[in-house]
Amino acid sequence: MAQHVYPSFDICNLNTDKILKDLISIEPFGGYVSRNPHLQGIHTHSFYHLTYFRKGSGQHTIDFHTFLVSNDSFYIMKPGQVHNWEFSAEEAEGIVINFSPLFFDTLKLSSALLVQLPVLEDIHSGTISFSDADKAKAWSILEQMLREKQEGGKQSALYMATLLLQFLILAGRQVQSTDPASTAEHIHYAAFRQFEQLTGLHYRQKKLPKEYAEMMFVSTHQLNIISKTFSGLPAGTYIRNRLLLEAKRLLVNFGMHINEIAFELDFSDASNFGKFFKKYTGMTPEQFRNAYKPE
């Protein structure tokens, strides 16, 4: 596995108030970016990063997709995603939470429960807007978390965990209200989760839908239905996009040569990798890399 040269941060690398063995932090967003200037360049995290903006302007780029910062919106970044911020002169206002899955394990709450939360899954990356009915409720939960961190008390961390779960469930309901298919009750939900996990493990060596269909004991036709239901994409495109995402992540790892990246992604040589990348992005690997090089 390649070693990433762009920075990868743990919560302990942040200039922020941390609790429970550096496994979670929560604070007002004001000043967060200025106190952590190392976060403004392209980087990745080993933890979940959540931000709820009450107001502000600028943009947030997650895995090469740019989202405009807007009022009363919620942004989420999952471990391993490449990420950077750009803000206008007026600093954004909101609350930022960083937490490791181990936060729940330490409290004897299995981090496995996080996979039950649609808002934390790859199919819902990016930004979520709360309905008018739920904005006040969401903000109230976050303010309770802030107060609990400041005041402390018996089983304070456990109480904060329950509040965080409430917030994530409420955020997930915003997703479900706009995308009814993306619910744990859907007949194909478990199968898509399996497909998603398998592509995350095997996208380097297995690039054909039939290979995943065989592992899942379904037909290629059934796999296409499953993929389209949740991602909106045929299975082949979903697999290819996962490979392209990793290629982009590695290309902004400026310490790796392109032939190393081709080898890492199981291409026979840099030429074949370059043809593949240009066919589906419209840019050569060098052109993509140059677009993200720091000035």
Side-chain angles (χ1 to χ4, degrees), residues 117-284:
L117 302 174
V119 74
L120 295 183
E121 296 166 13
D122 285 344
I123 51 176
H124 302 305
S125 296
T127 179
I128 294 172
S129 295
F130 282 83
S131 67
D132 290 339
D134 287 332
K135 286 176 184 176
K137 189 183 299 184
W139 187 249
S140 174
I141 293 172
L142 295 178
E143 287 186 317
Q144 287 181 67
M145 289 188 70
L146 270 178
R147 286 196 298 271
E148 186 63 28
K149 186 199 77 168
Q150 294 161 357
E151 297 170 3
K154 189 175 181 180
Q155 296 187 308
S156 181
L158 183 59
Y159 182 51
M160 288 180 66
T162 64
L163 289 170
L164 177 57
L165 288 173
Q166 287 180 53
F167 177 81
L168 293 172
I169 291 169
L170 183 62
R173 289 177 177 173
Q174 315 306 306
V175 173
Q176 293 177 15
S177 66
T178 58
D179 187 3
S182 300
T183 67
E185 291 77 21
H186 193 281
I187 189 172
H188 292 314
Y189 182 82
F192 181 80
R193 290 289 295 143
Q194 182 186 14
F195 176 51
E196 183 181 45
Q197 291 163 4
L198 287 172
T199 55
L201 292 171
H202 302 293
Y203 64 86
R204 290 173 174 83
Q205 293 79 28
K206 299 183 185 296
K207 299 179 173 68
L208 299 176
K210 67 178 182 179
E211 296 176 288
Y212 293 91
E214 288 171 359
M215 287 191 286
M216 295 172 63
F217 301 102
V218 299
S219 69
T220 303
H221 176 69
Q222 287 174 306
L223 182 58
N224 271 317
I225 292 173
I226 291 166
S227 181
K228 286 180 180 178
T229 298
F230 291 92
S231 71
L233 301 171
T237 304
Y238 184 89
I239 298 163
R240 183 172 65 241
N241 284 356
R242 180 62 185 84
L243 180 62
L244 283 167
L245 172 59
E246 191 63 20
K248 291 174 180 178
R249 288 175 174 175
L250 293 175
L251 285 167
V252 298
N253 179 345
F254 303 112
M256 288 186 75
H257 295 294
I258 289 176
N259 59 344
E260 292 180 280
I261 294 171
F263 177 79
E264 174 71 15
L265 298 177
D266 206 38
F267 285 87
S268 58
D269 55 45
S271 176
N272 283 330
F273 168 61
K275 290 175 183 176
F276 166 82
F277 191 85
K278 185 171 183 179
K279 179 178 179 181
Y280 294 108
T281 68
M283 292 187 286
T284 66

Side-chain angles (χ1 to χ4, degrees), residues 42 45-46 71 109 132 157 163 181 199 221 249 295:
I42 195 162
H45 295 163
S46 64
N71 294 351
L109 298 171
D132 290 339
L163 289 170
T199 55
H221 176 69
R249 288 175 174 175
E295 297 179 359

